[in-house]
Amino acid sequence: MDISFMGFDTPFFRNLHHILDDDENTNNKKSSTASGPTRAYVRDARAMAATPADVKEYPNSYVFIVDMPGLKSGDIKVQVEDENVLVISGERKREEGEEKEGVKYVRMERRIGKFMRKFVLPENANTEKISAICQDGVLTVTVEKLPPPEPKKPKLIQLKHNHNNSTRKMDISFMGFDTPFFRNLHHILEATDDENNNNKKSSTASGPTRAYVRDARAMAATPADVKEYPNSYVFIVDMPGLKSGDIKVQVEEENVLVISGERKREHEQEEKEGVKYVRMERRIGKFMRKFVLPENANTEKISAICQDGVLTVTVEKLPPPEPKKPKLIQVQVA
């Protein structure tokens, strides 16, 4: 399916009801007709709507950045279709063998299924010079630009007049129509919108504080899975683009597990390199989740590892308490 996002600027994360629902597709057994899209078309459209991407233009290249946490390089496919359509796709599946290990999902929020984005490349993109690298769950695809064409020389046309033998020359310059690359950029995500809000009124008793709202938004935008094993609880959070040193895992109030981190733009370095954002969809700012641990969680035995943009926090369980022996009460006979 060919979707050119030039001029197609629906804000990221609008209408979350379009997120992939494989069960819904499986239950719908009606075949596609001429009056409606095919199931494959709908599935690809949903995958693209749920795959945020940033596009940056450098002086000599275009760079496409896509969050693909939990996917290895071998799970991701980058190709060019129809000569100028860049297609990025991949699929994340649940781990096999979890049932044998006695695992049950306590909470499941992180996306599974297909990741996909399609981009119509501009005319000056060199499709023979494309490179891709995946690190910390973030895929970066670089498409080099073609060298600028030499300016066309004006075409001289000789005009002859029948009334005499004199000749004149006319200078006609053939000018191409140069459409600006990726127009309608006013819909690009503005991550600093909250900070630039003109409403500077301090919070009152009638409303939450700004810090409360910021943390609530961070938690709402940080999906997590929670799994229970026979001997532990496992919390899995997507944090693409963050290194281990950028992530904080701590226990507050004795039994509240807090996972947090923050992703920032490299403004200073990008300005030096002459970078301008053509599209900005991937989340920046704070990541946060809080979990109240159950009574049998051992807060002294917590480990965390971040790999391919996916943070895994393991909290071991306390051993089960010994069964209480029945208390014998001596009955005295009066």
Side-chain angles (χ1 to χ4, degrees), residues 153-165:
K153 297 180 179 180
K155 183 178 181 181
L156 298 176
I157 301 175
Q158 192 175 29
L159 298 181
K160 294 183 179 181
H161 296 268
N162 293 330
H163 61 273
N164 55 35
N165 293 327

Side-chain angles (χ1 to χ4, degrees), residues 73-124:
S73 298
D75 302 325
I76 301 170
K77 189 175 182 181
V78 179
Q79 60 185 349
V80 176
E81 298 179 352
D82 300 330
E83 296 186 355
N84 70 332
V85 180
L86 177 67
V87 182
I88 301 171
S89 61
E91 189 167 3
R92 180 162 69 176
K93 300 178 180 179
R94 293 296 177 195
E95 299 177 5
E96 297 180 357
E98 290 182 336
E99 294 181 359
K100 296 180 181 179
E101 299 177 3
V103 180
K104 63 179 180 180
Y105 275 91
V106 179
R107 179 177 289 268
M108 184 163 47
E109 298 174 344
R110 297 159 58 241
R111 275 198 64 234
I112 60 171
K114 194 172 183 180
F115 293 79
M116 177 181 279
R117 283 307 291 267
K118 294 187 178 184
F119 306 92
V120 177
L121 297 174
E123 293 182 357
N124 66 338

